[in-house]
Amino acid sequence: MDIVSPEGFFYSVAKAGIKYQDRYDVALIYSKKPAQVAGVFTTNQIKAAPVKICMKRIRSGQAQALILNSGNANACTGQKGIEDALKITDYLAEKLNINKEHVLPLSTGVIGVHLPVEKIIKGVDELVNRLGNAQPIQVAEAIMTTDTFPKLTYRQIGEDTAVTILGICKGAGMICPNMATMLCAIVTDAKISSDLMKEALRDAVAQSFNSITVDGDMSTNDTVLMLANGESDVKIERKTTLWKQFKGALNELCIELSKMIVKDGEGATKFITVNVKGAKTAQDAKRVARAVANSLLVKTAFYGCDPNWGRVIAAVGYSGVAVKEEKIEIYINGICLFNRGFPTMRQEELKEILKEHEIEILINLNLGTGKATVFTTDLSEEYVRINSAYTT
Amino acid sequence: MDIVSPEGFFYSVAKAGIKYQDRYDVALIYSKKPAQVAGVFTTNQIKAAPVKICMKRIRSGQAQALILNSGNANACTGQKGIEDALKITDYLAEKLNINKEHVLPLSTGVIGVHLPVEKIIKGVDELVNRLGNAQPIQVAEAIMTTDTFPKLTYRQIGEDTAVTILGICKGAGMICPNMATMLCAIVTDAKISSDLMKEALRDAVAQSFNSITVDGDMSTNDTVLMLANGESDVKIERKTTLWKQFKGALNELCIELSKMIVKDGEGATKFITVNVKGAKTAQDAKRVARAVANSLLVKTAFYGCDPNWGRVIAAVGYSGVAVKEEKIEIYINGICLFNRGFPTMRQEELKEILKEHEIEILINLNLGTGKATVFTTDLSEEYVRINSAYTT
């Protein structure tokens, strides 16, 4: 698929040699004029320096440049971590001749190691000199860590597809209940206020990045930033058809990107959708879905094509949500395995089905109307291999 | 170590062929007279049939025989699961000529498959015919599933070591925040009321079986049962030296058994102690310790001898406990890696140390006096291999 960029955004990438050698590891996304900005960040209490800087800077509602790097998360690096990031963003602002408060840093990689500031500063020179020479896909490649493919997509709305929304992200390990070591930059040429954009972004993130899990760990760096520079001249206002289209397109875009992240979960061989319905509340449903999606025993069973639905119900039982065994139904890819307290003994029928790459677990608690969906993966030896050798 | 059995208890094992062929898979522990009983069970809302039966029967305060089996958990088996278990315990009671309410079943193995009742009934004949011919270690062997070694130990207290406490358990996978597919039978010849014994057992379980975790999953079958038949004629009463000794010995015994379970965690190559201190409360400390102990990224890092303490602090940050980055200290085997907001950059010193089998993570939150300890393991490819092929 050819990727369409919104008007007025420019990209560049450079090889700073932060951790990886001879690959692009820093990237710049630049709007030709100050854009409206909105963001959603990790809820981990230990927040990386770039997250702290972004959270503070987006309060103004405006931003103009994103500088992204892989190879180093600049997390747990104390005051020096903040100073290091500011040296880089200040230098970039000066080079671009823009307001330094309008530069936002995004970092991913190893925790607790100081940024190699001089290397990145050299990279910044290159980023600025080469601005406009890169495509969005190269930005997506530059921020990959253990990702195996670049992740980006776009949507267009309005008359003559006048408005474009482009999303670029990286995921892989540590994908968890509330986002992940997940960086996502979304840019659009819509004309929209930062407040309205924030509302749309929060909704979209709840249904996408906050509904995926690979290993249950929550990163210090999770960041979703969205810039709108108004270059399309199409104004998005509440209670209009365009507003509905905009929200719908943003939801779709975020769900597509978050599915890419799950599909690329470290060592994943299967894409698992956990649907929970019949819960007392949507919150209860999400809690049950997450317990199942995060269960190591469930994940390893599906990796082994093992129809061990008992592990699913065990996870339902320890989710913390009040359930009744005699009301629960469990289906895997449409086959009922547990019917209101009774095992149906149909697991043999599943052995072939479980070899498929897409698995749907449906749990009906039969207690109410609350429902939720969580996307996850299986857990393979490969996951362990990747994660036991990450920093070394 | 030679294992000493308390007076008046007899053991037997048989090969019922429940799942495994040609190995002992059912065991009987019998007291020559009705004993006082206390129990602690899984907090999973989905409780196996044998757990439901035990919870009901121990209310009387008395029991005389435990029948244990591996290969089938008799969980999620509905009303038929209860009936199946009762057929077996009733038959055993009749054969032993004891009160049928005094027989307690303990099962471990696959979930959601009905017990092969006829096979087990045949096994019961053998168990009763051969009663007294087995040693405690054979009982421990009969209840092994993916365990690689039998788990049992004993303690003696009082003048001339008059009172013996013997504990037999099985663990391996699914070891989690609140017990595990963990069966434990403790027998003693002390003369003690079931109420007093319950108090001692609850304390001991909190510090041992409820402080271990391998994969964060909580089983439907976790059971700790304790029988005291009074055969030593040594009476244990509150506020005596013997009471203190009894509680101390029971704590030690349970901690020793729970450490055996962790050491035998599926695919484990390392024994990890997570100590948290300086928390506002002991509860906060335990929550932080569990988040760290259950983090896949922490566990895989230690498997890979990777000094990735950043994953430790990330888990602290998402534990749900309020912490301050600028106050946290993290030590691994005595080496400070993160000191009140600053990385010490000493991880190179750890590379050799991490090859050791015993790892201690110490986290000081510096917010109060609450502390807690959780024992866990690393996570290896072998864990995935074992658990992806469990029922097949």
Side-chain angles (χ1 to χ4, degrees):
Chain A
M1 166 171 91
D2 278 341
I3 294 292
V4 178
S5 171
E7 294 296 318
F9 285 98
F10 302 93
Y11 313 90
S12 61
V13 293
K15 297 175 184 178
I18 296 170
K19 177 183 160 188
Y20 311 107
Q21 298 307 314
D22 202 34
R23 61 156 270 197
Y24 294 112
D25 57 359
V26 286
L28 173 62
I29 300 176
Y30 172 75
S31 169
K32 70 187 223 191
K33 62 183 186 194
Q36 297 295 302
V37 66
V40 179
F41 303 93
T42 181
T43 57
N44 195 314
Q45 288 180 80
I46 309 294
K47 289 176 173 55
V51 172
K52 289 177 187 164
I53 294 168
C54 285
M55 290 177 81
K56 200 170 158 197
R57 289 195 167 167
I58 68 166
R59 282 188 214 139
S60 75
Q62 288 210 315
Q64 195 165 358
L66 309 181
I67 176 162
L68 309 96
N69 76 273
S70 54
N72 188 314
N74 194 11
C76 305
T77 44
Q79 186 54 32
K80 178 165 162 51
I82 302 273
E83 287 159 14
D84 287 348
L86 292 178
K87 268 184 210 162
I88 294 160
T89 56
D90 286 359
Y91 185 80
L92 178 62
E94 197 190 310
K95 284 273 164 182
L96 290 169
N97 196 23
I98 62 174
N99 182 338
K100 66 182 186 179
E101 296 290 320
H102 287 177
V103 180
L104 302 176
L106 295 86
S107 297
T108 178
V110 65
I111 299 177
V113 177
H114 293 299
L115 282 181
V117 176
E118 291 192 9
K119 285 183 182 176
I120 299 177
I121 291 279
K122 276 186 201 160
V124 168
D125 284 329
E126 220 180 311
L127 288 174
V128 174
N129 291 338
R130 297 169 58 172
L131 187 56
N133 283 357
Q135 298 299 317
I137 191 168
Q138 290 169 283
V139 175
E141 284 166 351
I143 58 173
M144 284 165 63
T145 53
T146 53
D147 302 68
T148 65
F149 58 86
K151 296 169 185 72
L152 70 169
T153 191
Y154 74 101
R155 289 290 184 280
Q156 291 185 305
I157 58 164
E159 222 170 294
D160 297 324
T161 62
V163 173
T164 302
I165 309 172
L166 166 69
I168 298 170
C169 76
K170 63 87 52 186
M174 246 198 190
I175 305 310
C176 83
N178 284 293
M179 310 219 296
T181 291
M182 209 293 286
L183 299 182
C184 182
I186 304 170
V187 289
T188 178
D189 46 19
K191 206 167 195 164
I192 183 172
S193 73
S194 63
D195 282 347
L196 205 53
M197 186 162 64
K198 192 200 274 181
E199 189 181 318
L201 187 63
R202 289 212 168 152
D203 276 4
V205 168
Q207 292 173 54
S208 57
F209 302 115
N210 279 347
S211 292
I212 62 178
T213 174
V214 170
D215 54 22
D217 278 55
M218 189 189 301
S219 146
T220 51
N221 289 59
D222 304 333
T223 300
V224 179
L225 280 172
M226 183 165 182
L227 301 185
N229 67 4
E231 282 292 293
S232 68
D233 253 340
V234 177
K235 197 161 183 184
I236 314 276
E237 287 175 304
R238 202 190 295 274
K239 292 184 185 167
T240 61
T241 308
L242 258 179
W243 167 236
K244 273 190 204 158
Q245 287 178 352
F246 183 81
K247 288 211 300 178
L250 187 61
N251 280 356
E252 271 183 38
L253 178 125
C254 288
I255 289 172
E256 189 182 335
L257 290 174
S258 62
K259 283 189 173 180
M260 286 182 198
I261 290 175
V262 173
K263 283 188 179 154
D264 201 15
E266 286 166 349
T269 72
K270 293 201 162 59
F271 184 88
I272 303 172
T273 303
V274 183
N275 280 316
V276 174
K277 64 180 192 181
K280 275 185 200 139
T281 64
Q283 255 183 331
D284 274 8
K286 196 141 192 176
R287 216 163 147 194
V288 168
R290 279 185 180 159
V292 171
N294 279 324
S295 160
L296 286 199
L297 290 171
V298 169
K299 291 158 99 72
T300 50
F302 283 108
Y303 170 63
C305 299
D306 176 357
N308 198 328
W309 58 271
R311 294 179 179 180
V312 174
I313 195 167
V316 172
Y318 67 68
S319 66
V321 171
V323 295
K324 291 203 168 133
E325 186 179 340
E326 66 276 16
K327 292 198 169 188
I328 298 171
E329 294 167 60
I330 295 178
Y331 298 79
I332 295 176
N333 285 26
I335 294 182
C336 182
L337 293 165
F338 187 72
N339 188 5
R340 295 173 178 260
F342 295 94
T344 63
M345 308 308 281
R346 289 177 65 190
Q347 45 263 43
E348 285 305 312
E349 294 171 47
L350 266 171
K351 291 222 166 169
E352 282 307 305
I353 292 173
L354 289 183
K355 289 180 187 156
E356 289 167 18
H357 289 293
E358 306 253 339
I359 305 287
E360 192 225 355
I361 304 173
L362 169 63
I363 299 155
N364 190 343
L365 301 177
N366 285 305
L367 295 171
T369 56
K371 58 184 181 175
T373 299
V374 167
F375 305 109
T376 190
T377 63
D378 58 346
L379 182 75
S380 69
E381 289 105 332
E382 184 67 6
Y383 173 91
V384 177
R385 203 192 54 70
I386 294 169
N387 280 297
S388 59
Y390 185 71
T391 63
T392 48
Chain B
M1 166 171 94
D2 278 342
I3 294 291
V4 179
S5 170
E7 293 296 316
F9 285 99
F10 302 93
Y11 313 90
S12 61
V13 293
K15 297 175 183 177
I18 296 170
K19 177 184 161 189
Y20 310 107
Q21 299 308 314
D22 201 32
R23 61 155 269 197
Y24 294 112
D25 58 359
V26 286
L28 173 63
I29 299 176
Y30 172 76
S31 169
K32 68 188 225 190
K33 61 183 188 196
Q36 297 297 300
V37 66
V40 180
F41 303 93
T42 181
T43 57
N44 195 313
Q45 288 180 80
I46 309 295
K47 289 176 173 56
V51 171
K52 289 177 187 162
I53 293 168
C54 286
M55 289 176 81
K56 200 171 158 196
R57 289 194 168 169
I58 69 165
R59 282 188 214 137
S60 75
Q62 289 211 315
Q64 194 166 1
L66 308 181
I67 176 163
L68 309 96
N69 77 272
S70 55
N72 189 314
N74 194 12
C76 303
T77 45
Q79 186 55 32
K80 177 165 162 51
I82 301 273
E83 288 159 13
D84 286 348
L86 291 178
K87 267 184 212 162
I88 293 161
T89 56
D90 286 358
Y91 184 79
L92 177 62
E94 197 190 310
K95 283 273 164 182
L96 290 171
N97 197 22
I98 62 174
N99 181 338
K100 66 183 184 177
E101 296 290 321
H102 287 177
V103 180
L104 302 176
L106 295 86
S107 297
T108 178
V110 65
I111 299 177
V113 177
H114 292 298
L115 281 182
V117 176
E118 291 193 9
K119 284 183 184 177
I120 299 178
I121 290 280
K122 276 186 200 159
V124 168
D125 284 329
E126 219 180 310
L127 287 175
V128 174
N129 292 338
R130 295 170 58 173
L131 188 56
N133 281 359
Q135 297 299 317
I137 191 169
Q138 289 168 284
V139 175
E141 284 166 352
I143 58 173
M144 284 164 64
T145 53
T146 53
D147 303 68
T148 64
F149 60 86
K151 296 169 186 69
L152 70 168
T153 192
Y154 75 102
R155 289 290 184 280
Q156 291 185 306
I157 58 164
E159 222 170 298
D160 297 324
T161 62
V163 173
T164 302
I165 311 173
L166 166 70
I168 297 170
C169 77
K170 65 86 53 186
M174 246 197 191
I175 305 309
C176 84
N178 283 292
M179 312 221 295
T181 292
M182 209 291 288
L183 299 183
C184 181
I186 303 171
V187 289
T188 178
D189 45 19
K191 206 166 195 166
I192 183 171
S193 73
S194 62
D195 282 347
L196 205 53
M197 187 161 65
K198 191 199 273 180
E199 190 181 319
L201 187 63
R202 291 211 167 155
D203 276 2
V205 168
Q207 292 173 52
S208 57
F209 302 115
N210 279 348
S211 292
I212 61 178
T213 173
V214 170
D215 53 22
D217 276 54
M218 190 189 300
S219 146
T220 51
N221 289 59
D222 304 333
T223 300
V224 180
L225 281 173
M226 183 165 182
L227 301 186
N229 67 5
E231 282 291 295
S232 68
D233 252 341
V234 177
K235 197 160 184 186
I236 314 275
E237 286 175 305
R238 202 190 295 274
K239 292 183 185 169
T240 60
T241 307
L242 258 179
W243 167 235
K244 274 189 203 158
Q245 287 177 352
F246 184 81
K247 288 211 300 178
L250 187 61
N251 280 356
E252 271 182 37
L253 178 124
C254 289
I255 289 172
E256 188 180 336
L257 290 174
S258 62
K259 283 190 173 181
M260 286 182 198
I261 290 175
V262 173
K263 283 188 180 153
D264 202 16
E266 285 165 350
T269 73
K270 294 202 161 56
F271 184 88
I272 303 172
T273 303
V274 182
N275 280 316
V276 174
K277 65 180 193 181
K280 275 185 201 137
T281 63
Q283 254 184 331
D284 274 7
K286 197 141 193 177
R287 217 163 147 193
V288 168
R290 278 183 182 161
V292 172
N294 279 325
S295 159
L296 287 199
L297 289 171
V298 169
K299 292 157 99 73
T300 50
F302 283 108
Y303 171 61
C305 299
D306 176 358
N308 198 329
W309 59 270
R311 293 178 178 179
V312 174
I313 195 165
V316 172
Y318 67 68
S319 65
V321 171
V323 295
K324 292 202 168 135
E325 187 181 338
E326 65 277 17
K327 292 200 170 188
I328 298 172
E329 293 166 61
I330 295 179
Y331 297 79
I332 295 177
N333 286 27
I335 294 182
C336 182
L337 293 165
F338 188 72
N339 188 7
R340 295 172 177 261
F342 295 94
T344 62
M345 308 308 281
R346 290 177 65 190
Q347 44 263 42
E348 285 304 313
E349 295 171 46
L350 266 170
K351 291 222 166 169
E352 282 307 307
I353 292 174
L354 289 183
K355 289 180 186 156
E356 290 167 16
H357 289 294
E358 305 253 339
I359 305 287
E360 191 226 355
I361 304 172
L362 169 63
I363 299 154
N364 190 343
L365 301 177
N366 285 305
L367 295 171
T369 56
K371 59 184 182 174
T373 299
V374 167
F375 304 111
T376 190
T377 62
D378 58 346
L379 182 75
S380 69
E381 289 106 330
E382 184 67 7
Y383 172 91
V384 177
R385 204 192 54 70
I386 294 169
N387 280 297
S388 59
Y390 185 71
T391 64
T392 48

